[in-house]
Amino acid sequence: MRPKSRGRISLTGANPNDPLKIHANFLEHPDDFRAMVQCVELCRAIGNSSALAPFVKREVLPGNVKRSALENFIRNAAVTYWHQVCTAKMGRDEMSVVDANLKVYGIEHLRIADGSIMPRVTTGNTMAPCVMIGERAGEIIKAAHKL
């Protein structure tokens, strides 16, 4: 739930309608890949447990495969859950895009108030943190404009 691999989004041209180049970079970090192998192995252990034996006929996916075939299965099966966050992270390091007041570094009068500002992926659904970011953005803007 906390991948170390990082992808990239790049512009392909100066026209705002030009497509983006997206490099997801799933499983690039060795720790992420090891975690996925352990996850599949844990699921297999649970599915093959004696408690579930009366309900299980066979393992369908990935099937009874060994290490290299299992690794190939994981590489081919890895997909996103479409909870892209952390693309404009909040912080103070060279990779940060916004400050603690949601202001974009180097651009006046622009704030970002969505999941992209999260510095790390949450371990649960991203909806609740996005609501909190929006609520906090409202408080920050109200205070800035003395509303």
Side-chain angles (χ1 to χ4, degrees), residues 45 49 142 145:
S49 69
K142 282 170 53 177
H145 294 283

Side-chain angles (χ1 to χ4, degrees), residues 1-76:
M1 294 299 298
R2 291 250 165 104
K4 294 180 180 177
S5 300
R6 292 291 178 255
R8 293 181 302 285
I9 300 173
S10 306
L11 300 175
T12 60
N15 185 324
N17 294 320
D18 288 341
L20 296 173
K21 180 180 179 183
I22 300 172
H23 180 67
N25 211 29
F26 294 138
L27 305 177
E28 177 271 335
H29 196 283
D31 290 350
D32 294 345
F33 193 76
R34 280 192 288 278
M36 290 299 294
V37 170
Q38 290 175 344
C39 180
V40 171
E41 289 172 348
L42 174 63
C43 290
R44 281 180 147 170
I46 293 169
N48 293 321
S49 69
S50 59
L52 293 180
F55 310 103
V56 176
K57 291 184 179 180
R58 64 183 168 82
E59 181 179 319
V60 177
L61 288 173
N64 188 18
V65 296
K66 301 299 178 215
R67 187 67 180 204
S68 64
L70 177 61
E71 289 176 0
N72 286 337
F73 169 79
I74 290 169
R75 288 191 193 285
N76 291 323

Side-chain angles (χ1 to χ4, degrees), residues 65-119:
V65 296
K66 301 299 178 215
R67 187 67 180 204
S68 64
L70 177 61
E71 289 176 0
N72 286 337
F73 169 79
I74 290 169
R75 288 191 193 285
N76 291 323
V79 297
T80 180
Y81 285 101
W82 305 109
H83 288 176
Q84 286 88 342
V85 295
C86 310
T87 56
K89 81 175 201 158
M90 178 189 297
R92 294 182 182 166
D93 63 20
E94 68 280 351
M95 293 298 294
S96 296
V97 176
V98 300
D99 66 16
N101 289 311
L102 308 175
K103 291 181 178 181
V104 176
Y105 290 118
I107 301 176
E108 290 187 36
H109 309 296
L110 179 62
R111 296 179 198 259
I112 298 177
D114 60 27
S116 66
I117 69 155
M118 294 181 198

